[in-house]
C-alpha cells in the first residue's frame, strides 16, 4: 500500500506531465492540440484540488484540530492557481503564445513551490495523523481524481 505522500505526489507528477504536453503543443503552434491538452490539465488540477479540499484536508483538520495551519495556506494557493489556469486558458484561446507563456511560467513556479510544501510537509503530516483511515481516504481520493 502507498502512503498518502506517495499517492498524492504521484498525482502531482501526472498533472506535471499534462502541463508539459501543453507547452510542447504551443511550441509546435499546434493550437488545437494545445487547447485539448490545456483542458485536460485544467481538469486534472481541479480534480486534484477537489480531492484535497473535500477529503484530505477536512480529515487532517478533524484529526489534528489545525484549521488555520498548512491546509489554510494550501487552499489559498489553490485559489491563486485556479485564477492562473483561467488566465492561461484565455491566453491560449486568443492564440497568444507570449501571454500564455507568462501565465504558464507563473503557474509553474507556484506549482513547484506548492507541491514541495505538500510533499515535504503536509502529506507526511497526513500520513502521521491519518494512519487508521489512510487506505479508505486514498480510495475515495482515487475516485475523485479518476486517474
Amino acid at each position: 500500500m502507498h502512503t498518502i505522500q506517495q499517492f498524492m505526489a504521484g498525482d502531482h507528477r501526472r498533472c506535471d506531465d499534462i502541463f508539459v504536453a501543453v507547452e510542447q503543443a504551443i511550441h509546435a503552434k499546434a493550437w488545437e492540440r494545445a487547447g485539448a491538452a490545456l483542458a485536460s490539465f485544467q481538469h486534472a488540477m481541479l480534480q486534484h484540488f477537489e480531492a484535497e479540499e473535500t477529503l484530505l484536508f477536512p480529515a487532517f483538520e478533524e484529526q489534528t484540530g489545525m484549521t488555520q495551519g498548512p491546509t489554510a495556506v494550501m487552499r489559498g494557493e489553490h485559489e491563486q492557481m485556479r485564477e492562473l489556469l483561467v488566465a492561461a486558458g484565455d491566453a491560449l484561446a486568443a492564440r497568444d503564445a507570449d501571454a500564455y507563456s507568462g501565465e504558464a511560467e507563473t503557474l509553474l513556479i507556484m506549482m513547484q513551490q506548492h507541491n514541495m510544501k505538500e510533499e515535504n510537509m503536509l502529506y507526511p503530516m497526513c500520513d502521521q495523523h491519518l494512519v487508521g483511515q489512510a487506505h479508505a481516504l486514498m480510495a475515495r481520493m482515487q475516485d475523485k481524481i479518476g486517474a
Side-chain angles (χ1 to χ4, degrees), residues 31-44:
W31 295 105
E32 314 282 313
R33 192 178 52 167
L38 183 62
S40 181
F41 174 68
Q42 289 169 322
H43 184 70

Side-chain angles (χ1 to χ4, degrees), residues 6-24 34 36-52 78 81 85 100 104 107-108 110-112 114-115 118-119 123 141 144-147:
Q6 291 167 327
F7 176 74
M8 293 304 280
D11 198 51
H12 284 165
R13 301 294 85 78
R14 179 180 72 97
C15 292
D16 292 346
D17 290 345
I18 304 169
F19 188 61
V20 169
V22 181
E23 291 287 321
Q24 291 168 338
L38 183 62
S40 181
F41 174 68
Q42 289 169 322
H43 184 70
M45 290 287 285
L46 296 177
Q47 285 178 313
H48 182 90
F49 294 161
E50 189 179 337
E52 290 179 335
H78 286 175
M81 286 187 279
L85 285 167
Y100 176 82
L107 182 58
L108 179 62
M110 179 158 245
M111 283 187 331
Q112 288 171 334
H114 179 83
N115 291 355
E118 286 185 336
E119 292 174 22
Y123 296 157
M141 288 192 295
K144 204 163 278 274
I145 289 168

Side-chain angles (χ1 to χ4, degrees), residues 9 27 30 32 45 51 69 73 80 83 86-87 93 97 109 119 122 124 126 132 135-137 147:
H27 186 71
E32 314 282 313
M45 290 287 285
V73 172
Q80 291 176 286
E83 291 169 14
V86 169
I109 292 165
E119 292 174 22
L122 181 58
C126 288
H135 188 71
L137 193 56

Side-chain angles (χ1 to χ4, degrees), residues 21-104:
V22 181
E23 291 287 321
Q24 291 168 338
I26 288 174
H27 186 71
K29 302 261 188 272
W31 295 105
E32 314 282 313
R33 192 178 52 167
L38 183 62
S40 181
F41 174 68
Q42 289 169 322
H43 184 70
M45 290 287 285
L46 296 177
Q47 285 178 313
H48 182 90
F49 294 161
E50 189 179 337
E52 290 179 335
E53 292 170 359
T54 64
L55 298 169
L56 184 61
F57 295 175
F60 176 80
E61 291 163 350
E62 187 178 321
Q63 192 66 35
T64 64
M66 283 193 265
T67 56
Q68 297 306 310
T71 51
V73 172
M74 296 301 108
R75 280 191 181 95
E77 291 181 6
H78 286 175
E79 204 46 53
Q80 291 176 286
M81 286 187 279
R82 281 185 178 97
E83 291 169 14
L84 288 166
L85 285 167
V86 169
D90 292 346
L92 188 62
R95 296 191 174 187
D96 186 338
D98 290 339
Y100 176 82
S101 183
E103 300 296 347

